[in-house]
Amino acid sequence: MSTVFERTLRRTFRLGAIGITVFSGLFFLYLLGGEAMVSLSTVHLTYHFLGVRSDFAFDLLTSLVALFVCLFSLSVICLTALGSSVSTYRDEVSLLAAFTGLGFGMGVLNTTVPATVRLLIALL
């Protein structure tokens, strides 16, 4: 019988996986499409394409991907820790990968969220 906390973690796991898939796809579509348009000179932008401080879409998509990576990693860590006594090699590897993902996600959030918040405030 699973508890409410475990069911919530499973839903969070699914939400994180879906969010990573959707926003990573949008990010790579933006990356490839924007690079093709800038390379072919079909579009002239007033800002630096893929600039961390000036490209709003880049900041927003990167922040969303990092947020869902953190959500996914935290749910994997909690589910692995709750599920068993972390005794097998597979459990240790999944925990190591989840902590690595969490560190990556937090580092990217630390870099992109201030610029995203500044640009959102400027739009309002």
Side-chain angles (χ1 to χ4, degrees):
M1 190 102 201
S2 63
T3 64
V4 175
F5 184 62
E6 289 173 336
R7 284 192 300 257
T8 304
L9 283 174
R10 285 191 191 106
R11 287 186 186 125
T12 305
F13 176 82
R14 284 189 217 112
L15 178 69
I18 291 169
I20 289 171
T21 304
V22 168
F23 289 113
S24 293
L26 286 173
F27 177 76
F28 285 117
L29 201 74
Y30 176 74
L31 177 78
L32 295 175
E35 187 62 38
M37 288 172 42
V38 168
S39 296
L40 297 174
S41 298
T42 57
V43 104
H44 299 288
L45 302 173
T46 58
Y47 57 88
H48 295 291
F49 180 65
L50 299 181
V52 177
R53 303 284 181 239
S54 60
D55 192 350
F56 178 68
F58 176 74
D59 286 339
L60 185 65
L61 287 173
T62 306
S63 296
L64 286 171
V65 170
L67 181 69
F68 282 108
V69 165
C70 290
L71 191 67
F72 181 79
S73 298
L74 278 173
S75 63
V76 167
I77 290 167
C78 291
L79 283 171
T80 304
L82 285 175
S84 64
S85 61
V86 189
S87 59
T88 65
Y89 178 71
R90 184 174 290 167
D91 292 337
E92 292 175 8
V93 169
S94 68
L95 276 177
L96 179 65
F99 277 115
T100 304
L102 183 63
F104 167 76
M106 288 296 188
V108 172
L109 280 175
N110 188 31
T111 305
T112 59
V113 165
T116 303
V117 169
R118 261 188 266 119
L119 288 170
L120 281 174
I121 289 172
L123 287 175
L124 296 176

